[in-house]
Amino acid sequence: MSHLQQSFTVQFVYNVFFTEKLFDTTNSLFADFFHQQATSATQKKLLFVIDSGVVETHPGLVAEIKAYFTQHADVVDLASDFLIIPGGEIAKNNPVFVEKIVDAVDTYGIDRHSYVAAIGGGSVLDMVGYAAAISHRGIRHIRIPTTVLSQNDSGVGVKNGVNYKGKKNFLGTFVPPIAVFNDSTFLTTLDDRDWRAGISEAIKVALIKDKAFFEWVETNAHALAARDMDAMQYLIHRCAQMHLQHISGGDPFEMGSSRPLDFGHWSAHKLEQLTNFELRHGEAVAIGIALDSIYSQQLGWLTDADTNRILTTLRTLGFSLYQPMLDADNSAGVLKGLSEFREHLGGQLTIMLLKDIGLGVEVHEMDATLVRQAIATLREHELSTTV
Amino acid sequence: MSHLQQSFTVQFVYNVFFTEKLFDTTNSLFADFFHQQATSATQKKLLFVIDSGVVETHPGLVAEIKAYFTQHADVVDLASDFLIIPGGEIAKNNPVFVEKIVDAVDTYGIDRHSYVAAIGGGSVLDMVGYAAAISHRGIRHIRIPTTVLSQNDSGVGVKNGVNYKGKKNFLGTFVPPIAVFNDSTFLTTLDDRDWRAGISEAIKVALIKDKAFFEWVETNAHALAARDMDAMQYLIHRCAQMHLQHISGGDPFEMGSSRPLDFGHWSAHKLEQLTNFELRHGEAVAIGIALDSIYSQQLGWLTDADTNRILTTLRTLGFSLYQPMLDADNSAGVLKGLSEFREHLGGQLTIMLLKDIGLGVEVHEMDATLVRQAIATLREHELSTTV
Ligand SMILES: NC(=O)c1ccc[n+]([C@@H]2O[C@H](COP(=O)([O-])OP(=O)(O)OC[C@H]3O[C@@H](n4cnc5c(N)ncnc54)[C@H](O)[C@@H]3O)[C@@H](O)[C@H]2O)c1
Ligand SMILES: NC(=O)c1ccc[n+]([C@@H]2O[C@H](COP(=O)([O-])OP(=O)(O)OC[C@H]3O[C@@H](n4cnc5c(N)ncnc54)[C@H](O)[C@@H]3O)[C@@H](O)[C@H]2O)c1
Ligand SMILES: [Zn+2]
Ligand SMILES: [Zn+2]
């Protein structure tokens, strides 16, 4: 009996750019990226996949992109068609869309050194990233996130995925993008729900890692709710930065026991599913944050004052913190989220709770009675504030 | 306009073990592996997927594995069912098998820290590796290759994949296994075609990298053809080692311009497809090696004597070096393999040719007339040797 040991490291590098009007012909950022990537060997191709919600609210976008690449024709060969994919969770629920992209990769001869660029919310980005990752064992993938959540969280990280038979993110891979372009112009057309939803991911990282950032959000909650773009750009930049640091500072592909930034997420994933994805991911996370903050309070870890600051900030932003699916009679449903969460992450159950604002601490079990009690508290709160 | 730069490295480590009678209760290698992997946190699960060709020739295997884990019950929780998948290329052609594995991952609650072990030839291993790679963004995958080709080449590397609408390996990922167990006992039941087929991958690496190894194969060709197990074990060990070194010494996930070990493969892939996978991968590679050796000879790179040594060695091993699909009238077919090969690898066309035995050199184009001429030479050779 003998063995050969294999050992190697792979380096991954990519930039997250912050810009406005990415496809304005006077903005050379995107063209410069392709110039820098160019090798003498071959002309690369570029296939665009766009979220239908973006196309509807930016009806000139496709023409703008075409004009951009007429101006910068030398940098890359634009595929003649643009794929438009329905925005929202449906993009991840229906396997036909992954197939559509894989087929386009074949039709347009997109090879491993060519590009698939996705413009859209986190759902379309997750799905396109997955399709690109499995085609030819991985095509270069550019993300152009158009929602708050995708610009500050999902779009800057290393995960992609689709749902499978109703199971959230059951299929997916860890594959970094080749570049991310955060264009704030897209955010102006978001409806209020999507503008708001992504803010919960910033609150999530702030609560477990950065008290000062939480206090900034608390102070700017009214401005954010009133759609102040400067405040939003600061929030996105800081949140994206914290996500990137968490990834590079830890275990990027989550191979060991290290954890993703998922405070408030165990119940959020389940709530999304229980509401048939009626609830946005970020909206569900806001409820999950509220729930696990109250649970932390019940453990005596978080003071009443701090718990209230969290709930108040979420409410000021316009989040609704109670959802009928949380209801006691259905709480077996939400509690099932605990075991599903463990299973998806693998290994032991690990839940992040709060010892203080800015200080997350991991636990390995949650008490069902206490969870039900936290849900009840949330329900009371909501009834009293909405009366 | 600002940007954040993300940069990180990920380390991958795995062992390729060489053993006999892996599931004999007195062989503790497999159990030891799980012991070493164990963490206090949770008991891990293990799901087996087995090639039908292996089950048929080793009818006691499932019972043996069950007995093994009765003896070593503490190391891992064995899933109650074993999935049996038809062996051969059909495993990669029919998408239903990937789905079967993904469903089993769900049914048996196999999480990211649990294991899917595949026992079989390269086809089943490629398919199971892919299914494991996309489930929960990657489940730990153990490979137990049972053919010569999978023990010395496909099973020890970092690639997996399935065919899509007849396109070879169109879907796949780069994901290393967590361990590989090469058990020579399995090789005794291979039919002659499969025993032989894998030898061509050893000749491939030898021809481009290691003259001494080629000469060893040349000297031992009769013994190998007569199914001498000691010779085969040496061949597999050396070939696996060279593959592992190529991967770790270069660009493991082929993100840059570095190349896989694919001498003789551009026409081989096409021939497999043109013959509806009637031809084994290794058989097609033997033809591809012969073709590109003659092409190298025609360029004046390889001497007539060396070219003959290569062809003679392949023939002594029992390979048939001509296939009707190579025929002039269909040569548009094989030549199309050049552009498909470029597309699958991405970037520029790069073909490995021989300047000498043990010395591969890359070129970026092949002349269609010369290729046709090489095919004609191969046809003549074959007619004259079989008369
Ligand atoms: N990969 C990760 O690491 C990760 C992390 C967090 C969340 N996610 C996933 O992200 C998804 C949620 O993404 P999301 O919150 O961005 O929502 P979304 O992608 O579901 O989009 C919500 C809606 O906004 C529309 N839209 C998108 N951009 C728009 C714009 N600029 N103007 C107007 N409308 C626009 C869409 O068409 C859709 O109808 C979930 O599937 C979640 O699981 C992934
Ligand atoms: N991933 C990679 O890097 C890589 C590299 C080279 C080849 N491949 C792929 O590997 C596949 C070919 O694999 P292969 O040559 O191992 O053949 P195979 O897996 O197609 O198996 C050939 C036949 O042998 C049977 N079989 C397997 N083990 C047996 C045993 N011990 N006794 C009796 N019968 C047995 C199978 O049931 C099948 O009928 C191709 O799809 C090829 O593309 C992958
Ligand atoms: Zn989230
Ligand atoms: Zn091969």
Side-chain angles (χ1 to χ4, degrees):
Chain A
M1 274 176 239
S2 66
H3 77 271
L4 295 168
Q5 191 189 322
Q6 176 71 315
S7 169
F8 57 85
T9 57
V10 179
Q11 186 175 24
F12 298 91
V13 181
Y14 61 95
N15 287 322
V16 178
F17 298 97
F18 295 84
T19 189
E20 281 176 40
K21 302 196 172 85
L22 183 63
F23 298 111
D24 187 304
T25 48
T26 63
N27 185 343
S28 69
L29 183 68
F30 203 55
D32 291 346
F33 165 79
F34 290 104
H35 268 303
Q36 274 147 28
Q37 292 265 319
T39 54
S40 58
T42 38
Q43 181 76 342
K44 274 121 186 169
K45 295 177 189 172
L46 169 60
L47 171 71
F48 273 98
V49 186
I50 317 182
D51 185 318
S52 64
V54 175
V55 172
E56 279 155 28
T57 50
H58 301 260
L61 181 63
V62 168
E64 216 186 324
I65 294 174
K66 284 186 177 162
Y68 190 86
F69 284 100
T70 304
Q71 175 106 348
H72 301 280
D74 53 325
V75 296
V76 78
D77 276 348
L78 197 61
S80 52
D81 282 328
F82 288 64
L83 300 191
I84 313 295
I85 302 287
E89 201 68 27
I90 187 180
K92 293 172 68 171
N93 273 331
N94 191 337
V96 82
F97 301 122
V98 168
E99 202 168 324
K100 219 172 144 178
I101 291 165
V102 171
D103 288 342
V105 163
D106 187 19
T107 307
Y108 297 107
I110 307 297
D111 63 38
R112 289 177 45 76
H113 294 262
S114 288
Y115 304 89
V116 172
I119 306 178
S123 302
V124 167
L125 260 47
D126 270 8
M127 186 277 290
V128 180
Y130 175 66
I134 60 173
S135 297
H136 290 310
R137 300 198 181 102
I139 282 165
R140 296 180 180 187
H141 175 47
I142 296 169
R143 297 206 197 112
I144 303 171
T146 58
T147 62
V148 172
L149 182 127
S150 56
Q151 290 197 359
N152 72 8
D153 183 326
S154 81
V156 304
V158 296
K159 297 186 206 177
N160 57 53
V162 295
N163 310 329
Y164 179 75
K165 300 187 178 170
K167 298 234 161 188
K168 181 89 178 164
N169 297 329
F170 198 86
L171 299 180
T173 67
F174 286 89
V175 174
I178 189 106
V180 181
F181 295 87
N182 273 346
D183 177 349
S184 62
T185 323
F186 286 114
L187 307 178
T188 57
T189 55
L190 286 174
D191 73 34
D192 284 345
R193 284 183 69 182
D194 289 303
W195 171 277
R196 182 187 305 122
I199 299 174
S200 60
E201 301 283 8
I203 295 176
K204 169 199 75 178
V205 278
L207 284 175
I208 60 181
K209 292 205 170 194
D210 184 349
K211 185 167 190 158
F213 185 35
F214 175 78
E215 288 174 343
W216 181 92
V217 178
E218 189 177 35
T219 308
N220 289 273
H222 284 288
L224 288 165
R227 301 194 65 144
D228 180 306
M229 186 59 93
D230 286 341
M232 184 55 96
Q233 283 188 263
Y234 176 80
L235 177 131
I236 287 173
H237 192 279
R238 176 68 187 137
C239 182
Q241 188 176 42
M242 290 183 72
H243 272 97
L244 290 171
Q245 282 164 357
H246 180 81
I247 292 166
S248 60
D251 174 9
F253 295 171
E254 297 170 21
M255 298 192 298
S257 56
S258 131
R259 310 274 313 141
L261 287 171
D262 55 12
F263 174 57
H265 274 59
W266 71 267
S267 56
H269 288 311
K270 192 68 196 172
L271 277 176
E272 280 180 89
Q273 192 201 338
L274 288 173
T275 62
N276 258 315
F277 301 100
E278 215 339 273
L279 216 54
R280 301 275 204 272
H281 177 74
E283 292 170 338
V285 170
I287 296 173
I289 288 172
L291 189 67
D292 289 352
S293 298
I294 293 172
Y295 189 97
S296 304
Q297 176 192 25
Q298 288 171 349
L299 289 180
W301 288 11
L302 205 58
T303 64
D304 295 356
D306 282 343
T307 310
N308 279 332
R309 286 172 70 189
I310 297 169
L311 300 180
T312 302
T313 301
L314 290 168
R315 285 209 193 87
T316 305
L317 287 163
F319 284 109
S320 166
L321 300 184
Y322 181 72
Q323 216 291 331
M325 283 294 168
L326 281 171
D327 209 285
D329 297 325
N330 290 311
S331 70
V334 173
L335 278 167
K336 182 133 197 295
L338 277 177
S339 58
E340 287 176 10
F341 190 69
R342 189 206 65 73
E343 201 167 286
H344 188 67
L345 292 166
Q348 209 181 4
L349 176 68
T350 303
I351 298 285
M352 184 70 89
L353 294 174
L354 300 180
K355 281 258 169 176
D356 194 356
I357 287 179
L359 182 61
V361 171
E362 293 180 349
V363 297
H364 297 294
E365 56 185 337
M366 284 189 91
D367 181 272
T369 313
L370 273 190
V371 171
R372 290 201 182 91
Q373 202 174 305
I375 291 173
T377 307
L378 216 43
R379 186 173 50 238
E380 279 164 39
H381 269 282
E382 192 70 5
L383 291 177
S384 65
T385 48
T386 52
V387 163
Chain B
M1 276 176 242
S2 66
H3 77 270
L4 296 168
Q5 191 188 318
Q6 177 69 315
S7 170
F8 57 85
T9 56
V10 179
Q11 187 174 23
F12 298 90
V13 180
Y14 62 95
N15 287 324
V16 178
F17 298 97
F18 295 85
T19 189
E20 279 176 42
K21 302 197 172 88
L22 182 63
F23 300 111
D24 187 304
T25 48
T26 64
N27 185 343
S28 69
L29 183 68
F30 204 54
D32 292 345
F33 165 79
F34 291 103
H35 269 302
Q36 274 147 30
Q37 292 264 320
T39 54
S40 59
T42 38
Q43 181 77 340
K44 275 119 185 170
K45 294 178 189 171
L46 170 60
L47 171 71
F48 273 98
V49 186
I50 317 183
D51 185 317
S52 64
V54 176
V55 173
E56 280 154 27
T57 51
H58 300 259
L61 182 62
V62 168
E64 216 186 323
I65 295 175
K66 284 186 178 162
Y68 191 86
F69 284 100
T70 304
Q71 175 105 348
H72 302 280
D74 53 323
V75 296
V76 76
D77 274 349
L78 197 60
S80 52
D81 281 328
F82 288 65
L83 300 191
I84 314 295
I85 302 288
E89 201 69 26
I90 188 180
K92 293 172 68 171
N93 273 331
N94 191 337
V96 82
F97 301 121
V98 169
E99 202 168 325
K100 221 173 143 176
I101 291 166
V102 170
D103 288 342
V105 163
D106 187 18
T107 307
Y108 296 107
I110 307 295
D111 64 36
R112 288 175 47 74
H113 295 263
S114 287
Y115 305 88
V116 172
I119 306 179
S123 302
V124 167
L125 261 46
D126 271 8
M127 185 278 288
V128 179
Y130 175 65
I134 61 174
S135 296
H136 291 309
R137 301 198 180 103
I139 281 165
R140 296 181 181 186
H141 175 47
I142 295 169
R143 296 204 198 114
I144 303 171
T146 59
T147 62
V148 172
L149 183 127
S150 56
Q151 291 197 359
N152 72 7
D153 183 326
S154 80
V156 303
V158 296
K159 298 187 205 178
N160 57 54
V162 295
N163 309 329
Y164 179 74
K165 299 187 178 170
K167 299 233 162 188
K168 181 89 178 163
N169 297 328
F170 198 86
L171 299 180
T173 67
F174 287 90
V175 174
I178 189 106
V180 181
F181 295 87
N182 273 346
D183 177 349
S184 63
T185 323
F186 286 115
L187 307 179
T188 57
T189 55
L190 286 173
D191 72 35
D192 285 343
R193 283 183 69 183
D194 290 303
W195 170 277
R196 182 189 303 122
I199 301 174
S200 60
E201 300 284 8
I203 296 177
K204 168 199 76 178
V205 278
L207 284 175
I208 60 181
K209 291 205 169 193
D210 184 348
K211 186 168 187 155
F213 185 36
F214 176 77
E215 289 175 344
W216 181 92
V217 179
E218 190 177 34
T219 308
N220 289 273
H222 284 287
L224 287 164
R227 302 194 63 144
D228 180 306
M229 186 60 94
D230 287 341
M232 184 55 97
Q233 282 189 265
Y234 175 81
L235 177 130
I236 287 173
H237 192 279
R238 175 69 187 136
C239 183
Q241 188 176 41
M242 290 184 72
H243 272 97
L244 291 171
Q245 283 165 355
H246 180 82
I247 292 165
S248 60
D251 173 8
F253 295 171
E254 298 171 20
M255 298 193 297
S257 56
S258 128
R259 310 274 312 141
L261 287 171
D262 55 12
F263 174 58
H265 275 58
W266 71 267
S267 55
H269 288 312
K270 192 68 196 171
L271 276 176
E272 279 179 88
Q273 191 200 339
L274 288 173
T275 61
N276 259 314
F277 301 100
E278 215 340 272
L279 217 53
R280 302 276 203 270
H281 177 74
E283 292 170 337
V285 170
I287 296 173
I289 289 173
L291 190 67
D292 289 352
S293 298
I294 294 174
Y295 188 97
S296 303
Q297 175 193 25
Q298 288 170 349
L299 289 181
W301 288 11
L302 205 58
T303 64
D304 295 356
D306 282 344
T307 309
N308 279 331
R309 287 173 69 189
I310 297 169
L311 300 180
T312 301
T313 301
L314 291 168
R315 284 207 194 88
T316 304
L317 287 162
F319 284 111
S320 166
L321 301 183
Y322 180 72
Q323 216 290 331
M325 282 293 168
L326 281 170
D327 210 284
D329 298 326
N330 290 311
S331 69
V334 173
L335 278 166
K336 183 133 196 294
L338 277 176
S339 58
E340 287 177 10
F341 190 68
R342 188 205 66 72
E343 201 167 287
H344 187 67
L345 292 165
Q348 210 181 2
L349 176 67
T350 303
I351 298 285
M352 184 70 89
L353 294 174
L354 300 181
K355 282 258 171 178
D356 194 355
I357 288 179
L359 181 61
V361 172
E362 292 180 350
V363 298
H364 297 293
E365 56 185 338
M366 283 189 92
D367 181 89
T369 313
L370 274 191
V371 172
R372 289 198 183 92
Q373 202 173 306
I375 292 174
T377 307
L378 216 43
R379 185 172 48 239
E380 279 164 39
H381 269 283
E382 192 70 6
L383 290 178
S384 65
T385 49
T386 52
V387 163

